[in-house]
Amino acid sequence: MLLLLFLSTFLGSYAQELNEFGFTPWTNLRVEANGHFLRDPWAGGLNNVQFGKIDVNNDGVKDLLIFDRHGDRLLPFVYSPAGISPGFNYAPEFRRYFPHIKHWFQVLDYNNDGFPDIFTYTPGGIMVYRNKGEVFPAFEKAVNPYLTSLQGSIYTNLLVTYVDYPAIEDLDGDGDLDILTFWGLGSFIEYHQNKSVELYGNADSLVYEKTDNCWGRFAEDDESNIVIFDTCANFKYQQGQSPPKHTGSTFLLTDITGNGVFDLVLGDVDYSNVVALQNNGNNVAAEMVEQFPPWPVNEPVNLWSFPLVQKIDLYNDGTEQLLVSPFDPSLTKSRGSESVWLYGDCKNSSGIKDCGILTRSFLQDGMIDLGLGAYPVFADVNSDQLTDLVIGNYGLYDTCIVNVNGQLKCDYSGRLHLYINNGSLVEPSFLLADDDFGHLSQLALRGLYPALNDLDGDGDLDLLLGNKEGDLLMFTNIAGPGNIPEFENPVEGYQNIQVEGFSTPAFVDVNSDGKNDLVIGSLDGRLSYYQNTGTLQQPVFTFRSDYFGHVNVTDELVSYTGYSVPCFFKTNTGELRLLAGSESGLLKYYLGITDEPNSAFVLADPDFMYIHEGIRTAPAWADLNNDGFPELALGNYSGGITLFKGTPPGTAAIGQTSYDSAKLLIRPNPGNGQLNIAINRAGEWQISLYTIDGLLLNTIPVASPGELQITINKSYSGIAIAEARNKKLPWLVLREKVVVIR
């Protein structure tokens, strides 16, 4: 009884704080860059991505699903084949229909029911989510805890490491999907044959048997991407000696020679090229005999690091294109910018070796994308009463080299982008005015985080710059009020302020004395507080605390670093609040901000409004359209910004719309999984129950108002999410938390 009372009290206060604000994605606020308007400026950037095709909006046309392994971000793009602006449009409202994906994914219809399923990484190998074929995509686990294969005399996990991208194809032509993957410790490819059709006469099952230890009759060198042909005779010998060091590979099966047999394209860790191999055997008894010249012939892949090549019918017209992007899990070994290469029509009589590059920035060129990392800050830089946007980044790609020790080292240079608000007080829009604001790329620093404030009392905004080293640089603005800032040479090591690394400064009057103090986030996930003990014209920042408010955003389940980014703002009632970004991607929301050095702020919401937009998040807060409801911009490590428009507070969270007085009513809550749910608004709805990680527990249609029963019929306990979506108005969503106690 005490537990129920605690949970009821906790959830009541939690929901109250959660609904203090209202937000919805603001994807159509206009941004102009280099003479044209960006198609999807607020999609959040792309770094190392993979692609799949699936109809996300139930219009009968396959759309594009993109997964960025930098932050495990899933981005749906709806395909519009005709109209004023044909192409792909970012549609984040459909992201909620998909399960959580880690490291890699492939969208494939394994059971031939017409509804694409999802294969993805799970610890130990492969997880498969079956598409249940409902109005909108809905998935359930098809295996537990992972896909297995008969290997010898026992079924054991079909191992695919997080640095491998397997080939999942129907190799034997029987209608079910077989799998190729590298042996976990070696350089030989295993062939796992799907026995579903042989055993059951259909493709419904995922029953695998390893039938070949050395598919293709070759080996990849254990310390490079050199291929050694005809080496299977040595397989047992090599296996009996010290095991080779397999470090990860990507697969593409495709017919390069046009003879109807799959050839093989391999990407490899720490290399920018791919290796294309000719198959002189067949799809099952493959025999790789020759390496093609750098491939594709006209414009070979040369993309740091660890390229993944996919073939995909991008435009639903029966022709296949190639898409190439880095697969490297490292955050500092990938290009980040110009990292999504699209090759043209790859289905022709002469084979795909003749493909030519259409763009090196597919979809990226329609977004705000600063390469690696994005740190947005709102400020009126030219004193025109309109809020502008300044964005720092970790860095743009410079060069990658393999040093004398065989290690890949990549260099990046950080910079600032300045977007001037060229709209109005009620209809903002942004124009890229400078893609190297202040010429800071010349400093060869990384992790540039801007803070703007008048530090010399002359009426214009000066720049305080955080960076990877953890110190601060101060740039005096000599342009004068009303002008675009021009900066003098920096004062390095400003006031000897230093944090552990990745300093993220923010100006805020913590003690309400009329002078802006300085709060700095850092690599360790905490905040440091420096009080202004000087004047407005000559600030002196005096150290007070390196654990300010007892804030620590580090999630040790993710990493031992936090990358805290403070964003202070005031509510309409004048109360000071804090929103803190983190390496994990969660936003932490704090109340009770005080200058007392040993006082702890109140953590009102450890996962602010369930906003998950990647890793190393950086929030910025401003009322851009002067409607009294603040907007939220959120930077992430993929180099882009997602923007959320402020709305009247209500039951809606991010991605929902609070519509009239529609409510989702649940009882008992907490409960044992037998729930009574009612919607007080007419219409056709789909009610779904999800785990806190997004896994579907149950779903049921609702045709009219009134109470119905729904069961969480799995052995799940804890917090679940109940969601009601209007079938005719899919953007109309109601959501409530449910506590299940077994």
Side-chain angles (χ1 to χ4, degrees):
M1 186 65 185
L2 287 175
L3 176 61
L4 290 176
L5 179 61
F6 168 77
L7 287 170
S8 299
T9 304
F10 170 77
L11 286 175
S13 61
Y14 187 89
Q16 181 180 1
E17 295 302 335
L18 182 69
N19 296 318
E20 185 176 356
F21 306 99
F23 291 107
T24 188
W26 199 356
T27 58
N28 62 352
L29 190 149
R30 296 202 311 175
V31 176
E32 184 180 355
N34 304 316
H36 67 277
F37 289 102
L38 301 182
R39 185 181 187 108
D40 287 298
W42 310 104
L46 301 174
N47 279 359
N48 294 10
V49 297
Q50 303 149 38
F51 298 87
K53 294 297 294 296
I54 186 171
D55 182 3
V56 302
N57 60 349
N58 195 36
D59 66 351
V61 177
K62 284 192 174 181
D63 307 301
L64 190 62
L65 197 62
I66 300 178
F67 174 71
D68 193 337
R69 75 176 307 181
H70 277 184
D72 292 335
R73 299 169 58 235
L74 198 64
L75 298 92
F77 282 79
V78 170
Y79 181 52
S80 302
I84 298 175
S85 182
F88 297 96
N89 298 310
Y90 181 48
E93 64 270 22
F94 295 105
R95 185 168 53 189
R96 70 184 74 251
Y97 295 120
F98 295 91
H100 183 60
I101 293 170
K102 295 280 290 183
H103 294 301
W104 61 264
F105 88 138
Q106 296 186 37
V107 181
L108 302 161
D109 184 7
Y110 81 83
N111 54 4
N112 298 323
D113 64 355
F115 299 100
D117 312 296
I118 291 178
F119 291 68
T120 186
Y121 171 82
T122 194
I126 300 175
M127 173 53 63
V128 183
Y129 291 101
R130 185 180 72 85
N131 189 339
K132 298 173 68 175
E134 298 179 356
V135 175
F136 295 103
F139 295 87
E140 63 180 5
K141 285 184 177 180
V143 297
N144 188 30
Y146 38 60
L147 201 62
T148 60
S149 178
L150 181 62
Q151 302 179 52
S153 60
I154 62 171
Y155 279 94
T156 187
N157 55 315
L158 200 169
L159 180 64
V160 176
T161 72
Y162 77 99
V163 289
D164 280 313
Y165 188 88
I168 306 176
E169 293 270 4
D170 180 9
L171 290 171
D172 55 9
D174 64 354
D176 54 25
L177 294 175
D178 310 302
I179 296 177
L180 298 178
T181 184
F182 270 104
W183 175 43
L185 294 176
S187 302
F188 300 93
I189 294 177
E190 298 177 344
Y191 171 41
H192 295 264
Q193 184 182 18
N194 192 340
K195 296 289 187 176
S196 180
V197 170
E198 287 86 347
L199 292 173
Y200 308 114
N202 58 57
D204 284 354
S205 301
L206 295 163
V207 184
Y208 285 90
E209 179 182 351
K210 184 172 71 173
T211 58
D212 196 339
N213 283 318
C214 190
W215 184 89
R217 300 308 188 251
F218 76 97
E220 188 180 54
D221 185 77
D222 55 359
E223 294 185 349
S224 73
N225 66 345
I226 295 173
V227 169
I228 306 165
F229 296 105
D230 193 21
T231 59
C232 288
N234 297 323
F235 178 78
K236 291 184 179 180
Y237 168 78
Q238 293 190 24
Q239 195 174 21
Q241 303 300 315
S242 59
K245 297 176 289 185
H246 175 65
T247 53
S249 298
T250 62
F251 288 76
L252 170 68
L253 290 173
T254 191
D255 181 9
I256 294 176
T257 59
N259 65 353
V261 176
F262 283 135
D263 303 299
L264 180 63
V265 178
L266 292 174
D268 201 70
V269 170
D270 287 355
Y271 289 87
S272 65
N273 64 313
V274 294
V275 173
L277 305 178
Q278 181 177 339
N279 182 5
N280 268 16
N282 57 48
N283 291 340
V284 175
E287 184 178 2
M288 303 301 161
V289 296
E290 182 180 355
Q291 181 173 331
F292 289 106
W295 184 87
V297 173
N298 290 338
E299 297 180 88
V301 171
N302 182 22
L303 182 60
W304 294 108
S305 158
F306 195 5
L308 164 66
V309 185
Q310 292 181 266
K311 59 181 180 182
I312 191 168
D313 180 2
L314 193 60
Y315 302 108
N316 301 314
D317 61 359
T319 63
E320 289 183 321
Q321 289 75 39
L322 290 182
L323 282 161
V324 188
S325 190
F327 188 69
D328 204 311
S330 168
L331 299 181
T332 56
K333 290 184 179 180
S334 296
R335 187 177 179 95
S337 57
E338 296 187 338
S339 60
V340 187
W341 290 18
L342 172 63
Y343 286 80
D345 182 359
C346 298
K347 190 174 184 181
N348 53 50
S349 59
S350 59
I352 64 174
K353 62 184 179 182
D354 294 328
C355 295
I357 289 181
L358 298 178
T359 176
R360 289 178 169 83
S361 299
F362 176 63
L363 296 182
Q364 286 175 303
D365 55 12
M367 306 176 187
I368 294 175
D369 193 332
L370 277 71
L372 302 183
Y375 314 123
V377 171
F378 287 121
D380 181 6
V381 300
N382 55 357
S383 304
D384 64 353
Q385 308 305 310
L386 300 178
T387 301
D388 308 303
L389 178 62
V390 180
I391 310 173
N393 69 348
Y394 174 82
L396 278 174
Y397 171 82
D398 187 352
T399 55
C400 283
I401 61 169
V402 178
N403 64 20
V404 294
N405 298 318
Q407 299 169 316
L408 177 64
K409 299 293 183 182
C410 295
D411 289 326
Y412 306 87
S413 58
R415 62 178 62 196
L416 301 184
H417 281 200
L418 171 62
Y419 288 85
I420 292 295
N421 187 343
N422 62 348
S424 67
L425 286 172
V426 296
E427 292 186 9
S429 62
F430 290 101
L431 169 69
L432 177 60
D434 196 336
D435 64 1
D436 191 7
F437 183 41
H439 307 291
L440 302 186
S441 63
Q442 300 174 8
L443 301 176
L445 295 171
R446 284 172 283 179
L448 302 191
Y449 188 92
L452 293 148
N453 191 40
D454 185 0
L455 295 173
D456 54 10
D458 65 353
D460 57 21
L461 294 179
D462 307 299
L463 172 66
L464 198 61
L465 190 70
N467 66 94
K468 178 178 178 292
E469 304 307 316
D471 59 357
L472 300 175
L473 290 80
M474 198 278 279
F475 297 78
T476 299
N477 182 3
I478 58 175
N483 298 306
I484 299 294
E486 294 182 32
F487 299 118
E488 289 185 331
N489 291 332
V491 175
E492 300 182 12
Y494 179 67
Q495 297 197 17
N496 296 316
I497 295 171
Q498 180 78 41
V499 297
E500 182 177 346
F502 287 90
S503 47
T504 55
F507 291 105
V508 57
D509 185 3
V510 175
N511 55 2
S512 302
D513 64 354
K515 298 179 296 185
N516 275 330
D517 309 299
L518 190 59
V519 177
I520 309 172
S522 70
L523 179 71
D524 67 6
R526 300 186 178 192
L527 301 181
S528 296
Y529 170 41
Y530 291 80
Q531 182 184 350
N532 184 357
T533 57
T535 65
L536 283 172
Q537 291 76 23
Q538 293 183 317
V540 176
F541 295 107
T542 303
F543 174 78
R544 290 289 184 253
S545 174
D546 61 1
Y547 192 18
F548 187 44
H550 292 190
V551 171
N552 187 351
V553 301
T554 302
D555 182 350
E556 293 187 357
L557 296 177
V558 176
S559 72
Y560 293 110
T561 51
Y563 290 87
S564 52
V565 179
C567 174
F568 290 92
F569 63 91
K570 285 190 175 182
T571 66
N572 290 337
T573 58
E575 297 175 78
L576 186 62
R577 303 289 173 83
L578 167 65
L579 199 59
S582 68
E583 177 164 30
S584 69
L586 299 183
L587 294 177
K588 311 288 186 180
Y589 177 47
Y590 295 88
L591 315 177
I593 312 302
T594 174
D595 66 337
E596 292 293 332
N598 296 318
S599 295
F601 302 160
V602 177
L603 179 57
D605 193 342
D607 187 0
F608 182 69
M609 299 196 72
Y610 304 121
I611 301 173
H612 301 147
E613 294 292 338
I615 57 173
R616 297 195 187 177
T617 48
W621 190 278
D623 184 0
L624 296 178
N625 56 1
N626 288 281
D627 64 354
F629 302 111
E631 276 69 55
L632 172 65
L634 191 63
N636 65 73
Y637 197 73
S638 293
I641 310 292
T642 47
L643 181 65
F644 302 99
K645 186 176 185 179
T647 65
T651 57
I654 289 296
Q656 302 172 232
T657 301
S658 181
Y659 192 84
D660 296 337
S661 58
K663 291 182 179 180
L664 185 63
L665 308 173
I666 303 173
R667 64 180 181 87
N669 188 16
N672 63 1
Q674 299 287 336
L675 304 174
N676 295 294
I677 298 181
I679 304 171
N680 67 342
R681 178 178 169 83
E684 293 187 46
W685 299 77
Q686 187 79 19
I687 293 181
S688 303
L689 291 164
Y690 297 91
T691 69
I692 198 71
D693 295 323
L695 179 65
L696 183 68
L697 295 170
N698 202 349
T699 185
I700 188 171
V702 181
S704 61
E707 192 170 75
L708 58 88
Q709 289 187 338
I710 187 170
T711 302
I712 299 179
N713 53 14
K714 299 184 180 180
S715 57
Y716 179 80
S717 60
I719 296 178
I721 305 298
E723 174 187 282
R725 180 175 294 272
N726 191 290
K727 291 185 177 180
K728 292 185 177 180
L729 306 171
W731 59 87
L732 176 53
V733 180
L734 308 172
R735 185 182 290 125
E736 293 290 345
K737 291 187 298 297
V738 179
V739 175
V740 181
I741 302 174
R742 302 285 186 180

